[in-house]
């Protein structure tokens, strides 16, 4: 039998499409969703920044300079000459102090007569990459170590806001992954029990979900977070905040899994596995769960931004993570004062990565959800 006969005389592109497996079809359809496809690269870039935060950030998260409190953001410029007359391909201007005649307070303004060269892979503060590898190179920074370079301005202690936002990426993005992982286990386990066994187990799980979803979200967060002692170690606070978000976030996934189990348990391949003598655990984990893995991936991707927003909200309200832990919510809490609104509006800049990360993850989740059923 010739190849043309075996494939029904299909053209090479159609023959290749027929030969693709399910994951190949899902990826092919996902690539057609341009917004989701490029959002995937944005999400990968954000997690790369979180992974290499010490290298990407110009300074450490706790470095402060009391000489530059509430300094405005500087702008990277091209082709300037420093005080010695040397050409600087990339530079920032310095600061000078002026007296505000209305508030009778000193404030920093950009001094264009001062030029500080900026370079890539420059030497700066020493650090340990991944907590193990000693290094002192930073992706970008001032060529002179004592020169001020605050691209997003500074806070009330003279700390670089851009560096603190980059370091906060690790906490804010990882809490979404860890929280969703715990929610994934609880959702699949309890949703699977509810949909597969039915009866009293289904009633118990569904009534628990109804109870949790009937409680207003923010008061529930506040009540659980208030139970965490104030003197607890920051790492333990991070752990308990993750657990709190996971205990609330598993309900939607559990209902998705329950619905899929109810529709699959009467399918022919499930009945054949049961008649073949497979145990219930093997039927669930080796036959039913793999059949809708793509739907689970889509649900998880859409759940991560909800976790990120929840952590940001808790920290912004002052009942979540607290200093010295650095997260996007902790940084935004500093922008609650009237001073930030009137004199230091750049303190709202950490809200930008929150919006970008949440939008990118939502677009990515929408694309995966649309591609999860390649045969529709």
């Amino acid at each position: 039998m010739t190849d043309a006969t075996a494939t029904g005389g299909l053209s090479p592109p159609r023959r290749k499409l027929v030969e693709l497996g399910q994951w190949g079809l899902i990826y092919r359809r996902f690539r057609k969703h341009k917004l989701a496809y490029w959002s995937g690269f944005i999400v990968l870039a954000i997690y790369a920044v979180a992974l290499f935060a010490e290298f990407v950030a110009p300074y450490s998260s706790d470095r402060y300079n009391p000489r530059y409190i509430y300094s405005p953001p500087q702008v990277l410029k091209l082709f300037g000459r420093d005080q010695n007359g040397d050409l600087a391909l990339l530079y920032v201007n310095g600061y000078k102090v002026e007296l505000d005649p209305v508030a009778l307070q000193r404030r920093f303004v950009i001094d264009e007569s001062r030029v500080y060269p900026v370079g890539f892979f420059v030497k700066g503060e020493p650090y340990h990459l991944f907590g193990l590898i000693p290094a002192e190179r930073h992706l970008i920074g001032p060529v002179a170590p004592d020169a001020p370079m605050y691209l997003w301005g500074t806070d009330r202690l003279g700390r670089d806001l851009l560096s603190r936002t980059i370091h906060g990426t690790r906490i804010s993005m990882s809490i979404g992954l860890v929280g969703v992982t715990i929610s994934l286990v609880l959702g699949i386990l309890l949703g699977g029990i509810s949909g597969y066994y039915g009866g009293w187990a289904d009633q118990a799980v569904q009534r628990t979900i109804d109870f949790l979803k009937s409680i207003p979200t923010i008061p529930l967060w506040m009540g659980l977070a208030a139970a965490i002692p104030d003197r607890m170690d920051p790492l333990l606070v991070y752990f308990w905040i993750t657990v709190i978000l996971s205990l609330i976030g598993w309900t939607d996934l559990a209902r998705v899994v329950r619905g899929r189990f109810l529709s699959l348990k009467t399918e022919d391949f499930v009945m054949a596995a049961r008649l073949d003598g497979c145990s219930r655990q093997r039927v669930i984990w080796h036959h039913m769960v793999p059949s809708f893995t793509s739907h689970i991936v889509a649900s998880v991707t859409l759940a991560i931004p909800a976790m990120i927003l929840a952590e940001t909200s808790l920290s912004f309200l002052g009942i979540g993570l607290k200093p010295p832990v650095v997260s996007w919510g902790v940084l935004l809490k500093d922008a609650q004062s009237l001073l930030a609104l009137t004199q230091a509006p750049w303190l709202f800049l950490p809200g930008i990565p929150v919006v970008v990360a949440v939008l990118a993850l939502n677009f990515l989740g929408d694309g995966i959800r649309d591609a999860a059923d390649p045969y529709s």
Side-chain angles (χ1 to χ4, degrees):
M1 184 182 292
T2 63
D3 291 341
T5 304
T7 57
L10 297 175
S11 61
R14 290 185 175 273
R15 187 185 312 159
K16 184 178 180 180
L17 182 61
V18 170
E19 294 172 354
L20 286 175
Q22 182 179 6
W23 288 104
L25 292 173
I26 290 174
Y27 178 71
R28 181 178 179 274
R29 185 167 180 176
F30 175 74
R31 286 200 61 177
K32 292 182 177 180
H33 197 307
K34 296 300 182 183
L35 191 59
Y37 183 72
W38 290 108
S39 295
F41 287 103
I42 294 175
V43 171
L44 290 176
I46 292 174
Y47 277 107
V49 169
L51 187 62
F52 300 97
E54 294 87 357
F55 167 70
V56 177
Y59 307 106
S60 63
S61 61
D62 55 354
R63 175 179 171 174
Y64 67 95
N65 191 338
R67 294 177 54 193
Y68 297 102
I69 294 175
Y70 287 131
S71 298
Q74 297 165 304
V75 178
L76 281 175
K77 298 181 179 180
L78 296 172
F79 306 113
R81 293 194 177 275
D82 59 13
Q83 284 73 12
N84 298 325
D86 298 328
L87 178 65
L89 297 179
L90 196 64
Y91 70 95
V92 294
N93 294 121
Y95 295 106
K96 63 181 179 180
V97 180
E98 290 185 352
L99 181 65
D100 188 343
V102 177
L104 297 180
Q105 293 179 345
R106 69 168 193 167
R107 60 189 180 94
F108 289 94
V109 295
I110 301 298
D111 184 3
E112 296 189 358
S113 64
R114 297 183 181 181
V115 173
Y116 296 110
V118 174
F120 292 98
F121 306 104
V122 296
K123 286 188 177 181
E125 288 183 86
Y127 59 90
H128 285 79
L129 191 62
F130 310 125
L132 300 172
I133 306 172
E136 57 182 8
R137 293 284 178 180
H138 295 263
L139 177 62
I140 189 171
V143 175
D146 57 343
M149 192 199 78
Y150 306 117
L151 302 181
W152 278 18
T154 61
D155 62 6
R156 58 188 176 85
L157 297 178
R159 295 172 297 190
D160 180 35
L161 193 59
L162 176 60
S163 298
R164 287 174 62 77
T165 303
I166 292 173
H167 285 280
T169 305
R170 179 171 296 170
I171 296 293
S172 295
M173 296 300 291
S174 65
I175 204 169
L177 283 180
V178 177
V180 164
T181 301
I182 299 175
S183 297
L184 177 65
V185 174
L186 291 175
I188 293 179
L189 180 62
L190 297 177
I193 291 174
S194 177
Y196 188 82
Y197 291 97
W200 66 269
D202 184 27
Q203 291 295 324
V205 173
Q206 294 308 306
R207 298 299 75 78
T208 302
I209 293 176
D210 291 337
F211 174 74
L212 289 175
K213 294 184 76 67
S214 67
I215 303 174
T217 306
I218 292 181
L220 181 59
W221 287 342
M222 294 176 68
L224 293 175
I228 301 176
D230 293 335
R231 298 182 180 180
M232 184 176 289
D233 184 85
L235 289 177
L236 288 177
V237 173
Y238 171 81
F239 169 76
W240 283 114
I241 291 295
T242 305
V243 171
I244 289 171
L245 297 177
S246 304
L247 291 177
I248 302 171
W250 63 271
T251 54
D252 291 332
L253 181 59
R255 285 198 162 167
V256 172
V257 173
R258 174 182 178 268
R260 297 296 298 178
F261 267 68
L262 288 174
S263 63
L264 288 175
K265 69 179 183 179
T266 57
E267 293 286 339
D268 292 341
F269 72 94
V270 175
M271 299 299 294
R274 294 177 62 182
L275 293 173
D276 199 38
C278 294
S279 63
R280 289 183 174 181
Q281 288 76 15
R282 182 173 181 82
V283 171
I284 292 174
W285 294 106
H286 289 80
H287 296 277
M288 299 180 75
V289 172
S291 66
F292 60 95
T293 302
S294 55
H295 293 274
I296 294 176
V297 172
S299 298
V300 167
T301 308
L302 290 171
I304 292 176
M307 290 281 183
I308 294 172
L309 286 176
E311 180 276 324
T312 304
S313 301
L314 283 174
S315 300
F316 179 76
L317 293 172
I319 55 177
L321 299 175
K322 298 175 182 177
V325 177
V326 181
S327 72
W328 292 339
V330 172
L331 295 177
L332 285 174
K333 189 177 185 302
D334 293 337
Q336 286 182 334
S337 64
L338 182 62
L339 175 65
L341 185 62
T342 57
Q343 299 184 22
W346 53 86
L347 294 180
F348 290 96
L349 288 175
I352 294 177
V354 177
V355 175
V356 172
V358 170
L359 284 177
L361 285 165
N362 277 322
F363 291 146
L364 178 62
D366 287 339
I368 294 176
R369 182 178 57 193
D370 294 341
D373 188 5
Y375 303 106
S376 61

